[in-house]
């Protein structure tokens, strides 16, 4: 009976060890394998395609973008690397939803494919508001590449951009014009 009990404990211990090793392999190794397969299938090779795009005139923009995530850059660099910068304001709809409507395009690089116009809804930023939450009056949206893909957005209230230390929208517009020139 003692031998059966020892064998049973050994089997349970072995099974638990096997499950733990299998779980760790599935958790850490499998995602890396599938990511590599997806990249090779879709032709993705780097963040270059999503930042300045394949038609970028300055290859340094691509290498700089690869080393630093867009949201960690200084605002002047974000403006410089963006292919499109738009302002959207929240407009309430009849069903209670706040719809993000593009009200102004501050920057658009030539030959950039951008599928929105002033007056269009930017559906990724529309929402049903919750009580006791301040969403601001609208948002600034940075797009990179061509076709332009959203990279970053930040809210504004009144005439100030919250996440930029309450930078006035007037000064932000000026920075966009200076960087674009």
């Amino acid at each position: 009976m003692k031998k059966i009990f020892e064998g049973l404990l050994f089997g349970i211990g072995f099974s638990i060890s096997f499950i733990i090793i299998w779980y760790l392999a599935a958790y850490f190794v499998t995602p890396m394998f599938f990511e590599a397969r997806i990249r090779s299938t879709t032709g993705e090779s780097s963040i270059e395609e999503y930042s300045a795009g394949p038609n970028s005139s300055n290859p340094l923009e691509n290498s700089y973008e690869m080393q630093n995530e867009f949201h960690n850059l200084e605002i002047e660099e974000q403006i410089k690397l963006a292919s499109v910068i738009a302002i959207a304001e929240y407009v309430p709809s009849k069903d209670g939803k706040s719809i993000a409507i593009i009200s102004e395009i501050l920057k658009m690089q030539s030959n950039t494919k951008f599928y929105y116009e002033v007056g269009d809804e930017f559906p990724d930023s529309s929402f049903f508001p919750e009580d006791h939450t301040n969403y601001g009056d609208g948002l600034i949206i940075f797009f990179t590449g061509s076709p332009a893909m959203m990279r970053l957005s930040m809210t504004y209230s009144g005439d100030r951009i919250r996440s930029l230390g309450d930078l006035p929208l007037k000064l932000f517009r000026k920075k966009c014009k200076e960087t674009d020139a």
Side-chain angles (χ1 to χ4, degrees), residues 36-178:
R37 295 233 14 199
I38 290 169
R39 284 182 186 271
S40 67
T41 304
T42 62
E44 283 183 27
S45 58
S46 69
I47 201 166
E48 286 178 25
E49 298 169 22
Y50 299 106
S51 58
N55 300 326
S56 175
S57 60
N58 185 353
L60 292 176
E61 290 176 2
N62 292 335
S63 63
Y64 188 72
E65 176 69 15
M66 288 171 56
Q67 295 171 6
N68 298 289
E69 293 185 36
F70 190 81
H71 68 277
N72 288 333
L73 299 174
E74 295 291 325
I75 188 63
E76 290 79 10
E77 284 296 315
Q78 290 173 338
I79 292 169
K80 180 181 175 187
L81 290 175
S83 56
V84 178
I85 301 174
I87 295 180
E89 68 179 50
Y90 296 130
V91 177
S93 67
K94 292 179 182 177
D95 63 355
K97 188 175 188 179
S98 287
I99 301 174
I101 303 292
I102 295 179
S103 59
E104 188 177 351
I105 297 176
L106 299 177
K107 175 186 177 182
M108 184 147 87
Q109 289 178 342
S110 60
N111 298 326
T112 298
K113 291 180 185 175
F114 185 57
Y115 302 120
Y116 295 96
E117 296 177 0
V118 172
D120 287 349
E121 176 186 1
F122 187 67
D124 291 348
S125 295
S126 297
F127 60 92
F128 285 98
E130 296 180 16
D131 291 339
H132 309 295
T133 305
N134 185 351
Y135 297 96
D137 298 325
L139 65 158
I140 311 294
I141 312 167
F142 290 80
F143 297 85
T144 58
S146 182
M149 295 178 60
M150 188 193 120
R151 178 65 69 178
L152 173 74
S153 68
M154 53 187 73
T155 61
Y156 69 88
S157 292
D159 67 340
R160 304 251 176 203
I161 303 170
R162 293 175 177 176
S163 62
L164 296 177
D166 284 340
L167 177 75
L169 276 170
K170 183 177 180 179
L171 182 56
F172 181 76
R173 285 183 177 99
K174 183 178 176 184
K175 286 179 179 281
C176 289
K177 287 179 183 175
E178 289 171 357

